[in-house]
Amino acid sequence: MYDAIIVGAGLSGLYALHRLRGLGLRAKVFEAAGGVGGTWHWNRYPGARCDVESVDYSYSFSPELEQEWDWTEKFPGQPEILAYLEHVADRFDLRRDILLGTRVVAARFDGGWHVTTETGERVSARYLVMATGCLSVPKPVEVDGLASFRGEWHHTGRWPHEGVDFTGRRVGVVGTGSSGIQSIPVIAEQAGHLTVFQRTPNFSLPAYNGPLAPETRRAVKAAYGLRRSLARQTHSGIPAEPAVQSALEVGHEERLARYQTGWERGSLVGILGAYTDLLIDRAANDTAAEFVRSKIRELVEDPADAELLSPRDHPFGTKRPCLDSGYFETFNRDDVTLVDVREDPIAEITANGLRTTGGSEYELDTLVFATGFDAMTGALTAVDIRGAHGRSLRETWEAGPRTYLGLAAAGFPNLFTVTGPGSPSVLSNMVVSIEQHVDWIADCLAFLEGRTIEATEAAQEAWTAHVRDVGAATLYPAADSWYMGANVPGKPRVFMPYAGGVALYRQLCDEVAAKGYEGFAITG
Ligand code: FAD
Ligand code: NAP
């Protein structure tokens, strides 16, 4: 019997193991993948890199680790982030308590948690920490006929370790979210011909990626503590000066100049963080959205393609914007074709490629599905988690997730979710949110000393209503996004993350703890 079972060995699971061990607890990690790293183990598609600067998209819990690790780029690629996480696993001697290649399929509570793995092994623990990731379950391909395809196909979230050779191939990419936007320019470099099947255009900003100069690294390291605490005081977990003005308070020229500076910063918050009301006021948002569209018109030579690539269906920032390296410019290449599958939807995959409902046929050797994930709830409901009264989490969340603080759920004692629905999670620099959650969970376990904890229905209802109200006061619900569950057919349309920002959220979580875990029942 372990003190805690942790499911997942990504950024969340690795840190959770380290913290729980530090408390003297016996913890075991189960990880479905053949290696540690989570997102950065699975997403090996060409061009995969982070959208938060490396020096911020990294753990802060160990000043020694901060000082000894040297990031080579502003936004490093997947291999470097994976190497970092492997280094963390080795440096903190985590591997001896991680069981790789082991998928958890069920967990049942009867005073403790009994976990069943895919191979039928049963393991028990007092506490269960689901560090299963918000973007770890790729959506199945929703198009008919894939089995008949004679070529090679891959989902970006399950990329083969040996890589894919596109040389001379006729390649089709379906999907233009962050994964598509990152991979398309790199695939275009290699492919004989690339066809991009776009249903919805996305806002994307140039990353201005490049090597990190030694003096930049030194400066960051010299003041790391300050940088981290600034990040924790922001809305997004990305260190930046807070906006103080409404976009509508300033004149057109001043606003354009501010957006231009934001554009050149190469950051998720460069433009979005410029004014206070970009995510709450449609007219304010329109000014930023139109600025980005004007940039797309400058970057894309063919006006028809430029218009097709210009998002008009959702406000800027209500889907996570992408940071790209030459995305829009890629459509100026003669060997790249943009196809609008909103206008003429994909009918089926055929033996030789893809056919649209309008009857257009595209001959393809390789298909790439950059079609996204069953986000936030997918990995949690994939496991048959049954709480105190035998009811499953899947049934309990049928109409959408209900949690207390995104950390716990009523009816599921001693269960914790890292960056669960109802927390800032995917709206933030995830590492900031992950560390905050893991620290909160570890402090809670230290406080409990083996006792049982369960969120009360009342606290859960109040928090879920608060999450909904805060979300409703923003523009987020205006988008058909994966934040809303809108990308998965049949999934309830509920805005899942907490839009109150990481600073306020941390304060609320700390207050709950300071009041002896207010809103939780503690027994035993
Ligand atoms: P994950 O890294 O997803 O790890 C969860 C692990 O749990 C996985 O390894 C999975 O195999 C395992 N698992 C799940 N279910 C089970 C089960 N039942 N049994 C056993 N194991 C299981 N966020 C940012 O803030 N900035 C970025 O730049 C950024 N870039 C991203 C790029 C991509 C391509 C993607 C997909 C996401 C990105 N994200 C980014 C979000 C990213 O998921 C988080 O930043 C972070 O890596 C999540 O860590 P995690 O440990 O919580 O989850
Ligand atoms: P995504 O944002 O959900 O994008 C999926 C794309 O596939 C969308 O363009 C979608 O079109 C399209 N699509 C889905 N199903 C389709 C279908 N049946 N037919 C045609 N098109 C279809 O997924 P993602 O790009 O993998 O990104 C998910 C999240 O992961 C991001 O928002 C981000 O948080 C994270 N991520 C970050 C980075 C990074 O920059 N570091 C990189 C990758 C991922 P519709 O919009 O019309 O549904």
Side-chain angles (χ1 to χ4, degrees), residues 7-14 30-33 35-43 45 48-52 57 81 85 102-105 130-137 158 179 182 268 320 373 379 382-383 418-419 425-426 428-431 434:
V7 189
L11 272 154
S12 299
L14 292 177
F30 292 98
E31 168 55 62
V36 301
T39 288
W40 304 104
H41 169 89
W42 293 110
N43 291 266
Y45 60 83
R49 56 185 70 252
C50 52
D51 62 7
V52 171
Y57 189 73
I81 304 172
L85 293 173
T102 310
R103 179 172 294 282
V104 168
V105 292
M130 296 300 282
T132 43
C134 291
L135 294 157
S136 58
V137 177
R158 287 289 180 272
S179 303
Q182 285 188 331
L268 283 178
R320 192 168 174 116
F373 300 86
V383 179
V418 184
T419 66
S425 142
V426 291
S428 69
N429 170 359
M430 289 286 278
V431 190
I434 287 167

Side-chain angles (χ1 to χ4, degrees), residues 260-310:
Q260 181 62 31
T261 310
W263 176 267
E264 285 166 14
R265 212 180 120 192
S267 160
L268 283 178
V269 294
I271 294 180
L272 265 182
Y275 297 108
T276 52
D277 49 356
L278 292 179
L279 281 168
I280 50 179
D281 184 298
R282 190 66 195 240
N285 188 285
D286 283 346
T287 63
E290 187 42 39
F291 175 83
V292 180
R293 286 191 291 262
S294 73
K295 289 295 188 186
I296 298 172
R297 288 192 292 271
E298 278 172 29
L299 291 168
V300 180
E301 286 159 11
D302 177 57
D305 276 354
E307 183 49 33
L308 210 50
L309 288 162
S310 295

Side-chain angles (χ1 to χ4, degrees), residues 45 49-51 135 139 142 174-180 182 199-200 319-320 342 370-373 482 487:
Y45 60 83
R49 56 185 70 252
C50 52
D51 62 7
L135 294 157
K139 270 201 324 169
E142 289 153 356
V174 181
T176 51
S178 299
S179 303
Q182 285 188 331
R199 191 162 64 182
T200 314
K319 293 182 174 183
R320 192 168 174 116
R342 166 81 59 202
T371 43
F373 300 86
W482 56 259
N487 67 327

Side-chain angles (χ1 to χ4, degrees), residues 348-380:
E348 61 171 345
I349 309 294
T350 63
N352 298 321
L354 186 154
R355 197 173 55 74
T356 65
T357 50
S360 299
E361 305 246 1
Y362 298 89
E363 293 208 346
L364 302 167
D365 305 307
T366 310
L367 258 167
V368 173
F369 292 94
T371 43
F373 300 86
D374 182 354
M376 299 212 76
T377 52
L380 294 169

Side-chain angles (χ1 to χ4, degrees), residues 23-157:
L23 295 174
L25 298 178
R26 279 192 72 223
K28 189 82 183 172
V29 177
F30 292 98
E31 168 55 62
V36 301
T39 288
W40 304 104
H41 169 89
W42 293 110
N43 291 266
R44 296 169 189 245
Y45 60 83
R49 56 185 70 252
C50 52
D51 62 7
V52 171
E53 290 182 37
S54 53
V55 293
D56 300 312
Y57 189 73
S58 48
Y59 289 120
S60 70
F61 70 82
S62 163
E64 297 78 18
L65 174 66
E66 271 177 346
Q67 293 301 322
E68 71 198 20
W69 185 265
D70 283 332
W71 292 106
T72 65
E73 284 184 286
K74 180 182 174 192
F75 298 110
Q78 169 273 332
E80 188 169 341
I81 304 172
L82 181 59
Y84 169 74
L85 293 173
E86 285 178 339
H87 170 73
V88 168
D90 292 331
R91 192 194 187 287
F92 297 97
D93 188 23
L94 300 177
R95 292 187 196 268
R96 64 186 156 89
D97 285 320
I98 301 174
L99 208 55
L100 296 171
T102 310
R103 179 172 294 282
V104 168
V105 292
R108 181 173 53 82
F109 182 81
D110 68 359
W113 281 98
H114 306 289
V115 163
T116 310
T117 70
E118 208 165 27
T119 52
E121 192 190 350
R122 282 163 204 266
V123 192
S124 301
R126 190 105 192 86
Y127 302 102
L128 178 60
V129 179
M130 296 300 282
T132 43
C134 291
L135 294 157
S136 58
V137 177
K139 270 201 324 169
V141 174
E142 289 153 356
V143 189
D144 290 339
L146 189 58
S148 69
F149 185 52
R150 283 204 289 256
E152 187 184 348
W153 71 270
H154 303 282
H155 188 290
T156 48

Side-chain angles (χ1 to χ4, degrees), residues 274-458:
Y275 297 108
T276 52
D277 49 356
L278 292 179
L279 281 168
I280 50 179
D281 184 298
R282 190 66 195 240
N285 188 285
D286 283 346
T287 63
E290 187 42 39
F291 175 83
V292 180
R293 286 191 291 262
S294 73
K295 289 295 188 186
I296 298 172
R297 288 192 292 271
E298 278 172 29
L299 291 168
V300 180
E301 286 159 11
D302 177 57
D305 276 354
E307 183 49 33
L308 210 50
L309 288 162
S310 295
R312 296 191 185 273
D313 72 306
H314 65 280
F316 173 55
T318 54
K319 293 182 174 183
R320 192 168 174 116
C322 314
L323 291 188
D324 69 81
S325 299
Y327 175 64
F328 292 114
E329 298 88 322
T330 299
F331 294 93
N332 297 333
R333 297 175 64 120
D334 293 336
D335 54 3
V336 174
T337 309
L338 178 63
V339 174
D340 179 5
V341 293
R342 166 81 59 202
E343 182 66 26
D344 183 12
I346 301 171
E348 61 171 345
I349 309 294
T350 63
N352 298 321
L354 186 154
R355 197 173 55 74
T356 65
T357 50
S360 299
E361 305 246 1
Y362 298 89
E363 293 208 346
L364 302 167
D365 305 307
T366 310
L367 258 167
V368 173
F369 292 94
T371 43
F373 300 86
D374 182 354
M376 299 212 76
T377 52
L380 294 169
T381 55
V383 179
D384 186 19
I385 300 176
R386 291 188 182 263
H389 309 293
R391 195 144 187 254
S392 75
L393 191 71
R394 203 177 295 155
E395 290 166 274
T396 312
W397 285 6
E398 229 158 34
R402 287 154 61 238
T403 69
Y404 183 35
L405 300 171
L407 273 160
F412 298 87
N414 291 358
L415 173 76
F416 298 94
T417 51
V418 184
T419 66
S423 72
S425 142
V426 291
L427 299 180
S428 69
N429 170 359
M430 289 286 278
V431 190
V432 169
S433 291
I434 287 167
E435 286 194 320
Q436 184 250 336
H437 261 193
V438 170
D439 287 338
W440 192 95
I441 293 166
D443 291 347
C444 179
L445 295 189
F447 173 84
L448 288 173
E449 293 181 325
R451 288 174 294 167
T452 297
I453 188 166
E454 182 183 346
T456 66
E457 277 288 348

